[in-house]
Amino acid sequence: MKAILLNNKGSSYVTVCVITIVIAMILSAVLFYAQCMTIIQTTRDNSELVLESFIMKNAVLIYDSIKQGHDLTEHFDENDYISEISSRFSLDIQKNGLYSYCENGEMIYAMTNPYVTYKVDKALKLKASYTVMIPVIFAGEHIFDLVIPITVTRSLTLKE
């Protein structure tokens, strides 16, 4: 085996092949990590935009509530949040989740329906909790789903 690895006649390049495969595996892992971080950051940013949109849509009600000495709101419709995030960012609603697909129909990622609550009991500070699932595929086969829980919070504060 040592003779094959140290052969200078050019009849075998096992060392070069092994090094190439190792570099390709490392590069693949780095690219997968970058893809996962991009998906996570995108879903977090999208959720923050939709929460801010809700606050802006209900700004008059919220301002009146704060002006009266409390920051209570009467209700929050979670279905509005789910439909808004689905329509704004082109996600498909199926079963109990939102799905993103690429052009050839393969799933890029999925996220559970966000659970939107008040951060403090019925206070203005909104919190959306959901789980992002990214499929891990190796050699064309789905191995498992990478599951990442995410919580996003937004609140309205008055400038003085």
Side-chain angles (χ1 to χ4, degrees), residues 25-39:
M25 289 171 54
I26 292 171
L27 183 61
S28 174
V30 168
L31 290 176
F32 179 73
Y33 176 77
Q35 177 191 12
C36 290
M37 291 307 295
T38 302
I39 289 171

Side-chain angles (χ1 to χ4, degrees), residues 78-95:
E78 196 170 286
N79 291 329
D80 284 345
Y81 178 84
I82 293 169
S83 65
E84 178 72 21
I85 200 167
S86 172
S87 64
R88 189 178 282 205
F89 304 107
S90 302
L91 299 174
D92 294 336
I93 299 174
Q94 297 175 1
K95 301 176 188 171

Side-chain angles (χ1 to χ4, degrees), residues 7-158:
N7 187 352
N8 290 332
K9 295 180 183 174
S11 62
S12 88
Y13 288 100
V14 175
T15 306
V16 174
C17 292
V18 169
I19 290 172
T20 304
I21 290 173
V22 168
I23 290 173
M25 289 171 54
I26 292 171
L27 183 61
S28 174
V30 168
L31 290 176
F32 179 73
Y33 176 77
Q35 177 191 12
C36 290
M37 291 307 295
T38 302
I39 289 171
I40 292 166
Q41 190 62 42
T42 301
T43 60
R44 180 178 288 138
D45 291 345
N46 292 348
S47 295
E48 288 174 354
L49 282 172
V50 173
L51 282 177
E52 288 174 3
S53 172
F54 170 78
I55 290 172
M56 296 308 291
K57 284 181 185 175
N58 297 301
V60 173
L61 173 68
I62 292 166
Y63 181 73
D64 288 340
S65 179
I66 292 173
K67 204 171 171 184
Q68 293 174 4
H70 55 81
D71 58 353
L72 301 176
T73 52
E74 296 297 321
H75 65 283
F76 180 80
D77 191 5
E78 196 170 286
N79 291 329
D80 284 345
Y81 178 84
I82 293 169
S83 65
E84 178 72 21
I85 200 167
S86 172
S87 64
R88 189 178 282 205
F89 304 107
S90 302
L91 299 174
D92 294 336
I93 299 174
Q94 297 175 1
K95 301 176 188 171
N96 285 334
L98 302 166
Y99 295 84
S100 176
Y101 294 100
C102 60
E103 295 83 26
N104 61 3
E106 292 180 14
M107 183 178 74
I108 299 171
Y109 70 92
M111 61 187 277
T112 59
N113 283 340
Y115 177 65
V116 182
T117 59
Y118 295 102
K119 190 175 176 185
V120 180
D121 188 29
K122 290 190 177 179
L124 176 60
K125 299 153 191 78
L126 296 174
K127 175 176 77 170
S129 301
Y130 56 93
T131 303
V132 174
M133 294 157 289
I134 302 171
V136 177
I137 299 171
F138 180 74
E141 295 293 323
H142 180 267
I143 299 174
F144 63 91
D145 288 331
L146 185 61
V147 178
I148 302 113
I150 298 176
T151 301
V152 176
T153 58
R154 278 287 165 248
S155 61
L156 177 67
T157 55
L158 292 176

